[in-house]
């Protein structure tokens, strides 16, 4: 299994607060059978330049590497960012460096305010720059945009839609999540883990639910897509 959306990198965003917590989070995922993990801290272009963010990320990674020395993590680690959408994001200096390192795939968090046609135009320009956005937890935007056509437009523009594993923890969201995977609208899973308690590193139950309801082949398809995204990525630990 893989997990392409996590806030495991220590003390860089509202995720893991220290390297020890980060190690524990990675171990929990690897105990579930996760073998590839992307660390995707929040990036807000309105607050940080790409350069200063990458510097902070490298420092956080340094702390994690140090703490991981001699520890059997059980998973390969990659880095990226969860980039908050803004209009003209494609014109932010160096924005393409926010992709998962070594790839053209970028985890993109869409706005939590009403979308406009300009929103989709910006997404279009991002894809035209050769970046494939992975839309972070797309299920969370449904109550905001209301119009499902806006959501369905994203895969048409070349985006991959990622769903959070927490969607599988309660009955109605789970039923809806399964429907999106069955239809092929949802393509990827992420734990979006922030800590060990309220937003935990847990993804296997979601993969298991998909296998149980939609068949083993579906689970394999999702894992294969995540693995193929990370196949060209730079392994950092
Ligand atoms: Fe996230």
């Amino acid at each position: 299994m893989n997990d392409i959306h996590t806030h495991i990198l220590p003390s860089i965003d509202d995720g893991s607060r220290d390297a020890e917590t980060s190690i524990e989070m990675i171990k929990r995922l690897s105990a579930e059978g996760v073998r590839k993990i992307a660390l995707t801290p929040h990036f807000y272009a309105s607050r940080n330049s790409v350069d200063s963010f990458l510097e902070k990320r490298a420092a956080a990674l340094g702390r994690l590497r140090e703490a991981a020395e001699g520890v059997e993590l059980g998973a390969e680690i990659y880095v990226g960012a969860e980039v908050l959408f803004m209009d003209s994001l494609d014109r932010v200096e160096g924005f393409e460096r926010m992709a998962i390192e070594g790839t053209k795939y970028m985890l993109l968090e869409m706005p939590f305010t009403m979308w406009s046609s300009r929103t989709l135009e910006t997404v279009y320009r991002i894809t035209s720059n050769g970046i494939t956005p992975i839309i972070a937890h797309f299920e969370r935007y449904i109550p905001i945009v209301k119009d499902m056509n806006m959501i369905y437009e994203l895969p048409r523009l070349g985006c991959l839609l990622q769903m959070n594993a927490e969607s599988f923890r309660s009955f109605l969201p789970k039923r809806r999540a399964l429907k999106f995977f069955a239809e092929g609208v949802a393509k990827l899973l992420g734990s979006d883990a922030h800590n060990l308690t309220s937003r935990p590193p847990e993804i296997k139950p979601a993969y298991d639910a998909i296998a149980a309801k939609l068949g083993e082949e579906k689970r394999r398809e999702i894992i294969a897509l995540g693995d193929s995204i990370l196949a060209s990525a730079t392994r950092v630990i």
Side-chain angles (χ1 to χ4, degrees):
M1 287 179 282
N2 50 62
D3 187 349
I4 50 140
H5 181 172
T6 70
H7 299 270
I8 286 177
L9 212 52
S11 50
I12 186 170
D13 61 3
D14 58 342
S16 169
R17 60 173 192 274
D18 53 43
E20 289 64 41
T21 307
S22 306
I23 300 278
E24 189 54 35
M25 290 170 82
I26 292 170
K27 281 186 174 171
R28 284 235 204 137
L29 285 171
S30 73
E32 286 195 327
V34 176
R35 294 289 165 258
K36 291 172 196 283
I37 305 171
L39 313 182
T40 53
H42 289 288
F43 170 68
Y44 305 107
S46 58
R47 291 190 213 162
N48 262 302
S49 70
V50 167
D51 279 338
S52 78
F53 173 83
L54 290 179
E55 247 172 63
K56 278 186 212 156
R57 193 181 70 182
L61 184 58
R63 292 193 292 276
L64 179 60
R65 271 206 189 106
E66 206 175 303
E69 217 151 287
V71 178
E72 187 49 61
L73 292 179
E76 298 172 1
I77 308 296
Y78 303 88
V79 283
E82 180 177 11
V83 178
L84 182 63
F85 176 92
M86 63 178 205
D87 282 329
S88 65
L89 177 66
D90 56 302
R91 280 178 223 139
V92 169
E93 175 87 34
F95 93 102
E96 68 288 342
R97 291 160 72 205
M98 291 291 109
I100 295 172
E101 206 169 274
T103 79
K104 296 280 188 189
Y105 295 89
M106 184 185 291
L107 189 64
L108 185 64
E109 180 174 37
M110 296 301 286
F112 288 98
T113 51
M114 192 59 199
W115 301 1
S116 67
S117 55
R118 279 186 66 191
T119 313
L120 294 178
E121 278 160 29
T122 300
V123 172
Y124 172 73
R125 287 200 307 274
I126 292 170
T127 58
S128 304
N129 275 320
I131 297 288
T132 299
I134 299 171
I135 305 298
H137 42 60
F138 80 94
E139 70 279 13
R140 287 219 214 144
Y141 315 116
I142 297 170
I144 294 154
V145 302
K146 294 182 181 87
D147 177 3
M148 277 311 290
N149 287 321
M150 284 265 198
I151 303 282
Y152 289 129
E153 195 56 27
L154 293 167
R156 281 197 282 269
L157 292 172
C159 302
L160 297 170
L161 305 194
Q162 176 256 315
M163 186 166 262
N164 275 3
E166 69 194 343
S167 293
F168 288 82
R169 286 186 202 135
S170 45
F171 182 72
L172 283 176
K174 180 178 168 182
R175 200 163 69 178
R176 187 180 67 171
L178 286 166
K179 184 173 151 272
F180 281 125
F181 276 104
E183 288 171 351
V185 175
K187 296 276 191 206
L188 291 160
L189 268 177
S191 70
D192 200 4
H194 277 66
N195 51 49
L196 291 163
T197 51
S198 58
R199 302 182 75 182
E202 182 187 279
I203 196 166
K204 185 171 186 288
Y207 277 118
D208 285 348
I210 288 170
K213 294 284 179 188
L214 307 177
E216 190 54 51
E217 191 49 43
K218 191 52 133 181
R219 165 157 63 186
R220 245 180 271 147
E221 194 183 294
I222 299 162
I223 294 171
L225 179 59
D227 282 354
S228 77
I229 289 167
L230 295 174
S232 65
T234 313
R235 184 180 171 184
V236 293
I237 300 180

